[in-house]
Amino acid sequence: QVQLVESGGGLVQAGGSLRLSCAAAGTIFSANTMAWYRQAPGKQRELVALATNSGITNYADSVKGRFTISRDRAKNTVYLQMNSLKPEDTAVYYCAAGRSLMTANIVDYWGQGTQVIVSS
C-alpha cells in the first residue's frame, strides 16, 4: 500500500520554478513531521526541508530563501515550492514522514521519488 505519492517533478531551465506535491494517507499526515529529501547522482540523500504538524519549518542552507515547504491539512498534502532553481538542484526528490524526523532524522515512510532536472 503506497502511503506517500509525489508529483510535480520535471525539466526546467535555471532560474525557473517547480512545485512538488506529496499526498499522504490522512493518519500519516496528521501524526508526523513531513519532509522533502533529495539525492543527486553519486551523492548521499540529503534533507531539503521539513515541516512539523505544529508549524515549525527547517531548510537546508543550500535552499534557504529559494524553497518553501508547506502543509495543507484539508488535502493531507505537503508541497515544496522551488524558485530560482539551479543546476545543482538536479536530483530525485523524495517525500518523507516520521514522528522523530526533526529530532532524530528518523524516517518512517518514504515516497517513490520524483525527478527534477535543472538545465543551465
Side-chain angles (χ1 to χ4, degrees):
Q1 182 179 0
V2 179
Q3 308 279 15
L4 301 175
V5 180
E6 301 118 328
S7 61
L11 173 65
V12 64
Q13 287 189 331
S17 298
L18 281 175
R19 188 177 79 158
L20 306 182
S21 301
C22 173
T27 53
I28 293 175
F29 185 87
S30 61
N32 288 275
T33 293
M34 302 297 297
W36 289 95
Y37 287 74
R38 67 186 180 186
Q39 187 166 19
K43 295 188 177 181
Q44 287 189 329
R45 193 172 297 189
E46 63 174 352
L47 178 65
V48 175
L50 64 81
T52 69
N53 50 12
S54 62
I56 297 171
T57 58
N58 280 347
Y59 296 90
D61 288 343
S62 58
V63 306
K64 282 180 181 176
R66 300 188 298 122
F67 290 11
T68 302
I69 189 171
S70 60
R71 299 172 63 124
D72 185 332
R73 293 181 181 179
K75 297 181 179 180
N76 291 333
T77 298
V78 61
Y79 302 99
L80 185 68
Q81 178 67 44
M82 305 185 293
N83 299 328
S84 302
L85 282 161
K86 304 175 181 180
E88 50 264 42
D89 294 317
T90 294
V92 177
Y93 283 72
Y94 296 91
C95 181
R99 292 181 181 269
S100 302
L101 200 155
M102 181 173 175
T103 55
N105 200 26
I106 296 174
V107 175
D108 297 316
Y109 304 93
W110 287 103
Q112 80 282 3
T114 185
Q115 177 75 57
V116 171
I117 299 174
V118 183
S119 63
S120 57

